[in-house]
Amino acid sequence: AYEKGTGRKLAIKVQHRGLRETSRGDILALQTMVRALEYLFPDEFCYGWIMDEIAPQLPKELDFHNEAKNSERAAEHIREAGINCIVPAVHWEATSDRVLTMDFEEGFRSTDTESIEKEGMNEHDVAKLISSVFNAQAFCSGFVHCDPHEANVLLRKGSDGKPQIVLVDHGLYKQIDDDFRLSYARLWRALMMADIPQIKDACASLGIGKMYPLLAAMLTSRPFDEIVERSRTGALEAGSGGGGGSVAGSSGDKEMIRGYAQKFIVDILQLLDAVPRQMLLSFKMNDCLRHIDYSLGSPSNTLVTAGGVFAQGVD
């Protein structure tokens, strides 16, 4: 669409008629089914927490006023952080709870490697920039975009010739409190340094005791044995011998991760029930970012890239 008078190109998001109303019935039906299963199978079915987390989020995603406010808040933090990322400006005079009007910002999907090559971008720079945006949210502002899949993380070349992100779809955010944010930052810093005592302490502050190796493996998508190895060698990545970067994201890595997930599915579900609820959407964010990183060939060591942000979050 184009703005009358100025000819400015706009992006207009319109909610389907009746979607909000039917979604309420969908949520109620799911809640009823989950509660019934919990009542009938109290020992076997203990996953009501999934519904408890999802149910409050869907109405927020369907409120475009809420999305507009989220986008402006995120844009302010990104500006303060000095990150090369654009959030489309909201046109409030043409926005309602069911219609969202924004500037139209050009960009292509962050996993479009052909366009990245055509624009002369370096995949390492792209991966580092994407990681910086979301780590700054998680460890500094505590206001976290929880749906950063590749269609919401667009790329283009900025005026300085460097990669620039266009971040869209701000309907689902999570505000994490300072206690959790600091504990989470300490945990990631300990994971980066392979400091096992600090990993244990940080996990304990998050309510996770003996299952800390599983939590570490889930967050990094790597076996805990690799962290143990790095703790012995002082390397930033297993097998690197002192800070180099092996290429992750291969088919072998994916098969290994899939095999671990199948083997420990019961333990994983128990852990998800035990972690702070604030961490659940963070898991989703991590998975989305990991998919982007794999699609780019995992050109950078995410832990190393984010190290400075962890430190800012703790300090």
Side-chain angles (χ1 to χ4, degrees):
Y2 294 88
E3 187 177 37
K4 289 183 178 180
T6 67
R8 182 189 305 174
K9 196 173 184 180
L10 302 174
I12 302 178
K13 184 175 179 179
V14 180
Q15 190 175 118
H16 287 290
R17 182 176 296 173
L19 179 61
R20 185 184 303 178
E21 291 74 18
T22 56
S23 70
R24 292 173 186 150
D26 293 339
I27 292 173
L28 180 60
L30 284 171
Q31 286 177 318
T32 301
M33 181 180 68
V34 168
R35 299 309 175 206
L37 288 170
E38 285 184 320
Y39 178 78
L40 293 171
F41 307 102
D43 297 326
E44 295 84 0
F45 189 89
C46 55
Y47 309 130
W49 54 267
I50 299 176
M51 198 64 230
D52 292 339
E53 183 63 26
I54 293 173
Q57 303 304 326
L58 185 57
K60 295 178 183 178
E61 283 199 85
L62 296 177
D63 180 354
F64 289 172
H65 264 139
N66 179 68
E67 180 171 347
K69 292 176 182 177
N70 286 346
S71 69
E72 291 192 334
R73 185 175 172 188
E76 181 180 2
H77 166 254
I78 289 168
R79 282 194 298 270
E80 291 174 352
I83 300 172
N84 198 4
C85 175
I86 296 295
V87 175
V90 175
H91 291 254
W92 283 101
E93 72 282 0
T95 292
S96 68
D97 57 353
R98 296 176 187 265
V99 177
L100 176 58
T101 305
M102 305 158 284
D103 282 350
F104 185 92
E105 299 287 355
E106 300 286 349
F108 53 86
R109 289 191 178 206
S110 55
T111 54
D112 185 348
T113 53
E114 289 186 7
S115 294
I116 290 173
E117 184 177 357
K118 183 179 177 181
E119 290 293 322
M121 296 180 185
N122 182 287
E123 291 182 347
H124 178 276
D125 293 338
V126 170
K128 183 177 179 180
L129 178 60
I130 294 172
S131 177
S132 297
V133 170
F134 294 99
N135 283 316
Q137 288 187 338
F139 302 112
C140 296
S141 73
F143 190 57
V144 182
H145 190 306
C146 293
D147 198 19
H149 60 75
E150 68 268 26
N152 292 339
V153 185
L154 306 180
L155 279 175
R156 66 187 185 191
K157 185 179 288 186
S159 58
D160 58 359
K162 296 179 180 179
Q164 182 179 62
I165 290 175
V166 178
L167 186 61
V168 299
D169 194 354
H170 300 271
L172 184 59
Y173 268 74
K174 187 75 171 181
Q175 177 61 61
I176 58 179
D177 63 50
D178 283 344
D179 287 343
F180 174 83
R181 180 179 61 81
L182 292 171
S183 293
Y184 194 51
R186 281 194 292 267
L187 173 57
W188 272 101
R189 186 171 66 174
L191 290 170
M192 180 183 71
M193 302 304 297
D195 186 334
I196 293 177
Q198 286 298 317
I199 292 173
K200 290 181 181 179
D201 289 345
C203 285
S205 70
L206 293 169
I208 304 300
K210 295 181 179 179
M211 298 181 78
Y212 72 89
L214 179 59
L215 179 58
M218 288 172 62
L219 287 173
T220 61
S221 242
R222 309 299 301 171
F224 189 72
D225 288 348
E226 288 193 5
I227 297 176
V228 174
E229 178 188 343
R230 290 195 294 113
S231 73
R232 293 170 180 162
T233 64
L236 291 174
E237 193 165 357
S240 68
S246 61
V247 177
S250 67
S251 59
D253 286 326
K254 294 175 183 178
E255 286 300 320
M256 177 194 67
I257 293 167
R258 189 177 295 113
Y260 273 104
Q262 293 172 349
K263 181 178 180 180
F264 297 107
I265 183 63
V266 174
D267 293 330
I268 290 171
L269 290 172
Q270 290 176 348
L271 179 64
L272 291 175
D273 189 27
V275 297
R277 292 292 172 259
Q278 297 178 82
M279 187 175 280
L280 296 176
L281 286 178
S282 296
F283 280 129
K284 180 183 179 184
M285 182 192 77
N286 287 341
D287 287 342
C288 289
L289 293 177
R290 191 171 293 118
H291 168 69
I292 293 175
D293 202 42
Y294 281 170
S295 298
L296 294 173
S298 299
S300 66
N301 185 329
T302 304
L303 284 173
V304 176
T305 301
V309 183
F310 305 154
Q312 292 175 33
V314 173
D315 296 339

